[in-house]
Amino acid sequence: MTAPRLTRSNAPRPATGIVHLGLGAFARAFVCPFVAEAMAASGGDWGILGVSLQSARTRDALAPQGWAYTAVTLGPDGSDARMIEALTGVLVAPEDPQAVLAAMADPAVRIVSLTVTEKGYCHNPATGLLNPDHPDIAHDLMHPLPVSAPGFIVRALALRHRAGLAPFTVLTCDNLPENGRLVRAIVTDLARRIDPALADWIVANCRFPATMVDRITPATTSADIAMVERLTGHQDAAPVLHEPFRQWVIEDDFVAGARPDLGAVGAQLVGDVTAFEHMKLRMLNGTHSALAYLGYLGGHETIADTVADPAYAAFVQRLWAEIMPAVTAPPAVRLTDYAAALATRYANPAIRHRTWQIAMDGSQKLPQRLLGTLTAALDAGRPAPGLCLVVAGWMRYVGGIDEAGRPIEVKDPLAARLRAVSDSAATPAGKVAALLGVTEVFPTALAPRLRAPVTQAAELLWAQGARAAVARLAGQSSAA
Ligand code: CS2
């Protein structure tokens, strides 16, 4: 007997107050539950209209369910399912960009939030500036109906400006350094190329609070969908699964102060997010990427599998020891406690977060996750061989062939170029030299300083394989 399809409850549906760009699993496991809880606690019309910038998949899955879905907390000792009803609808931007702009220009919408991943900002990761040669930006400069997230924000703000309305707050929830400042620079740069008066109005009136977001949320698989049906007795075509932990630190700087009461449900509203952001990007995302590249090369499928391997468990501790001197602890946080909590989170066996998933888009992730930390270590004269091995691991990964000679499906906006650059040299030293020349990833001032230590790491990695190299750097005499 098949289980009945999940449907929305009879609870009154909130009016839309937020348009969310990039309705992936993370948004539905993090932003939507937080906002739903804030409305339950303190009221307010903060229903979320989701916008998919690419595919119709989520819209098609959620429409028959009245936009409701299941969020499952996966703890080491059991799981817990809840229905999330914060969504008021889902639009698919390529099908109807006009409808997306109309929704964003509606005065009832006071926040446009984003989880579009690093590459969705169409910027140069090494500089943080808009890349005007990005094909989507080139398109959006010429056409009033945009395709990129920055394009939608600018064209929607133009509509509001023309109509004499207040702007919305742009709430970025992506893992980028000083993400509020970064998105403001990108949006105002794009606006200035279209209409300088619009750019001035945005600078004067719009708000771009920085945020630190944190909840490990692997992509949902068909096995997960079957598990959720067994758990809840309902068929849900698009559930999300996530760890118990969550942390949202938000700079309290919204247009007219308008926002859901997120502080009532555990978000931290602060004056300055920078220290939280740096800590999370460097200590969590930096080691996540490290375990992703070196774990994948060492034959591990998930992060939990990787840290169950004692060589990697010891290596990640070594990485934290290299990273912590380059991190300023936020108020009331002890970095050693933060690292210990991360180790426990990574080990959660219920979370099957694939190394391959985290390895995606490394060209967009490396600068803020690893290269800032490496620069700080070099400036202070501290050797950082563990971090250099991670850079070498990324270089080996983007070469596209694993240690057993099998192809790797490298997902990265620069994948084809990275592969060609890697193939242009035959030796590890040659590959390191060639890849350090990719200026979107390696700032020109940093590249020459990385050459010797990353070459040394690469020679070890190519000669001995990832697992033995990790064991060696972790101080374990044998990889057995
Ligand atoms: C991960 C993040 O996929 C990745 O690159 O490092 O998505 C990570 O799981 C989240 O930032 C945790 O909050």
Side-chain angles (χ1 to χ4, degrees):
M1 211 179 72
T2 48
R5 184 80 179 245
L6 176 88
T7 46
R8 203 177 183 94
S9 72
N10 293 325
R13 193 181 290 234
T16 300
I18 298 175
V19 170
H20 184 87
L21 305 182
L23 194 64
F26 178 76
R28 295 194 295 116
F30 184 86
V31 179
C32 295
F34 254 115
V35 170
E37 288 168 38
M39 286 191 284
S42 309
D45 273 322
W46 294 107
I48 300 173
L49 177 68
V51 176
S52 293
L53 291 170
Q54 275 147 23
S55 100
R57 210 177 47 227
T58 304
R59 190 268 320 271
D60 293 348
L62 293 182
Q65 306 179 181
W67 316 116
Y69 59 89
T70 316
V72 183
T73 308
L74 296 174
D77 309 313
S79 48
D80 171 49
R82 286 159 310 139
M83 182 151 83
I84 308 295
E85 300 188 274
L87 288 170
T88 57
V90 180
L91 297 175
V92 180
E95 284 178 8
D96 194 352
Q98 190 86 58
V100 175
L101 288 177
M104 294 169 77
D106 183 333
V109 167
R110 282 144 302 152
I111 296 175
V112 169
S113 48
L114 298 90
T115 48
V116 294
T117 78
E118 295 85 351
K119 63 177 177 289
Y121 291 82
C122 308
H123 69 305
N124 178 332
T127 62
L129 300 175
L130 178 75
N131 173 10
D133 300 325
H134 190 293
D136 292 353
I137 297 299
H139 172 278
D140 290 357
L141 283 166
M142 303 300 295
H143 299 92
L145 293 180
V147 293
S148 74
F152 274 104
I153 292 171
V154 169
R155 296 288 179 182
L157 286 170
L159 292 176
R160 293 173 84 114
H161 182 215
R162 216 170 304 141
L165 296 170
F168 43 70
T169 297
V170 177
L171 186 65
T172 164
C173 303
D174 281 295
N175 291 314
L176 287 159
E178 290 160 56
N179 56 7
R181 197 188 43 73
L182 184 128
V183 69
R184 179 176 52 208
I186 289 167
V187 164
T188 47
D189 185 350
L190 181 57
R192 201 163 294 287
R193 290 165 195 264
I194 293 172
D195 172 5
L198 172 65
D200 291 342
W201 177 78
I202 291 174
V203 169
N205 297 288
C206 202
R207 290 288 178 271
F208 300 85
T211 65
M212 182 268 246
V213 295
D214 189 6
R215 170 167 266 179
I216 291 173
T217 308
T220 303
T221 64
S222 40
D224 294 331
I225 291 178
M227 184 277 277
V228 173
E229 182 173 332
R230 285 194 302 276
L231 184 71
T232 64
H234 282 101
Q235 269 186 52
D236 182 340
V240 288
L241 295 89
H242 56 75
E243 65 172 338
F245 182 88
R246 68 176 184 181
Q247 187 177 15
W248 198 357
V249 190
I250 309 170
E251 205 169 76
D252 200 4
D253 183 23
F254 288 71
V255 175
R259 59 166 172 78
D261 188 6
L262 296 164
V265 291
Q268 294 159 265
L269 280 302
V270 302
D272 186 358
V273 173
T274 320
F276 292 96
E277 252 189 337
H278 279 176
M279 174 180 73
K280 194 249 169 175
L281 279 171
R282 293 178 172 195
M283 292 186 63
L284 190 161
N285 297 109
T287 56
H288 236 190
S289 288
L291 295 168
Y293 298 115
L294 294 167
Y296 183 97
L297 292 170
H300 291 304
E301 196 188 341
T302 68
I303 292 293
D305 295 346
T306 308
V307 297
D309 179 335
Y312 286 84
F315 179 68
V316 74
Q317 295 295 341
R318 163 163 199 139
L319 287 178
W320 281 317
E322 288 184 14
I323 295 168
M324 278 189 288
V327 174
T328 305
V333 176
R334 269 180 45 190
L335 296 180
T336 46
D337 293 348
Y338 188 75
L342 291 179
T344 306
R345 290 168 64 193
Y346 291 176
N348 179 349
I351 294 282
R352 297 201 47 79
H353 204 180
R354 292 175 69 198
T355 47
W356 177 82
Q357 188 191 347
I358 299 164
M360 253 183 240
D361 297 341
S363 68
Q364 316 290 304
K365 293 174 175 173
L366 243 55
Q368 62 273 15
R369 294 184 176 205
L370 293 155
L371 302 183
T373 316
L374 254 174
T375 307
L378 293 175
D379 286 349
R382 278 192 314 269
L387 292 165
C388 288
L389 181 65
V390 179
V391 176
W394 172 76
M395 290 178 168
R396 174 98 215 224
Y397 185 90
V398 299
I401 306 285
D402 74 12
E403 292 178 357
R406 287 173 306 231
I408 303 174
E409 193 191 350
V410 178
K411 292 264 195 206
D412 192 297
L414 302 187
R417 207 171 108 219
L418 295 169
R419 175 67 187 258
V421 172
S422 171
D423 287 351
S424 72
T427 61
K431 289 180 193 292
V432 169
L435 285 162
L436 285 174
V438 177
T439 53
E440 290 93 328
V441 180
F442 299 100
T444 40
L446 177 64
R449 305 172 73 195
L450 289 182
R451 184 142 173 194
V454 175
T455 299
Q456 201 185 348
E459 279 168 349
L460 174 70
L461 177 64
W462 261 261
Q464 302 203 0
R467 190 166 184 279
V470 158
R472 165 87 80 90
L473 279 179
Q476 300 197 330
S477 51
S478 126

